[in-house]
Amino acid sequence: MSEQSPQPNGDAATDGDARDPSGFLSEIIGAPVTVKLNSGVVYKGDLQSVDGYMNIALERAKEYVDGEMKRNYGDAFVRGNNVMYIAADM
Amino acid sequence: MGSQMLPLELIDKCVGSRIWVIMKGDKEFSGTLLGFDDFVNMVLEDVIELCDTTWLIRLRMQSTNNNASDYTGARSKLPKILLNGNNICMVHSIALSYGQKSNS
């Protein structure tokens, strides 16, 4: 009885949403996202792909330092260990 | 031994409710927990990101006040995020700790 894992299934507090991050990730592939790094630098662009390390490939990436746009990248790879969060732009 | 509760089970109880996530360093997130994985990466909804929160922490040490309404530092709102578990220090459910919700 105390054997149940803390993972998925469980009683539904939410309405049928996936309860681990993979559902969210597949939901936002191709969508515009904001990626914030631990350093505070922000990248905005279209999310091309993510993997289990949170390595990220962005298209049309814009780099923001202290809220100011600094650079444009057609394609950018962000190594996962630097990522603080990935936010969906809606 | 049935009363033994694993740490991740505690987080699982918070799914669907509003939580505070206190990060390593001067940062906190508040949002509705939609899901998480074994690394405690979290999917959060209706998120408020607070920066420079050291004084908030100090305030909490003096009282049970968890209200950030008079917080003056930089804050931003994010509709839905995947938060990297790497820098998460502490997670705190507002509902559970105030006994408003006793979700078996």
Side-chain angles (χ1 to χ4, degrees):
Chain A
M1 57 176 273
S2 58
E3 202 78 357
Q4 52 163 299
S5 80
Q7 273 301 295
N9 61 63
D11 49 321
T14 52
D15 29 80
D17 271 8
R19 303 189 60 182
D20 63 349
S22 57
F24 172 65
L25 286 177
S26 54
E27 197 176 292
I28 60 168
I29 294 286
V33 294
T34 300
V35 177
K36 188 160 190 170
L37 308 191
N38 292 317
S39 62
V41 178
V42 171
Y43 292 93
K44 285 172 183 283
D46 296 338
L47 183 65
Q48 202 175 50
S49 58
V50 209
D51 64 14
Y53 298 107
M54 281 203 206
N55 295 323
I56 293 167
L58 288 175
E59 280 179 330
R60 300 190 307 107
K62 287 182 165 71
E63 182 183 66
Y64 292 83
V65 181
D66 295 326
E68 282 175 41
M69 217 267 270
K70 290 287 180 193
R71 270 184 273 264
N72 264 300
Y73 301 98
D75 267 302
F77 171 82
V78 182
R79 197 175 136 95
N81 64 307
N82 302 295
V83 174
M84 180 160 62
Y85 65 72
I86 307 167
D89 293 340
M90 296 180 189
Chain B
M1 273 322 189
S3 61
Q4 174 82 17
M5 194 183 189
L6 298 169
L8 288 184
E9 285 180 49
L10 191 59
I11 300 178
D12 195 55
K13 280 202 170 194
C14 298
V15 170
S17 58
R18 194 130 186 113
I19 58 167
W20 278 100
V21 182
I22 296 159
M23 309 289 285
K24 237 189 299 183
D26 289 359
K27 201 178 267 295
E28 295 186 16
F29 291 88
S30 168
T32 305
L33 181 65
L34 296 186
F36 65 99
D37 62 15
D38 285 345
F39 304 110
V40 199
N41 298 322
M42 289 177 170
V43 182
L44 296 170
E45 197 174 42
D46 302 324
V47 184
I48 301 171
E49 175 189 356
L50 306 176
C51 305
D52 313 320
T53 54
T54 38
W55 75 266
L56 252 185
I57 293 166
R58 218 171 289 132
L59 190 78
R60 280 195 198 111
M61 288 162 73
Q62 293 161 0
S63 67
T64 55
N65 182 12
N66 271 303
N67 197 347
S69 60
D70 47 355
Y71 168 80
T72 53
R75 79 161 77 194
S76 45
K77 289 188 177 177
L78 307 155
K80 209 172 179 187
I81 71 169
L82 171 60
L83 181 65
N84 195 333
N86 235 329
N87 298 309
I88 290 177
C89 199
M90 187 169 87
V91 178
H92 167 232
S93 161
I94 297 161
L96 283 179
S97 63
Y98 285 91
Q100 293 160 357
K101 182 190 176 190
S102 53
N103 189 7
S104 71

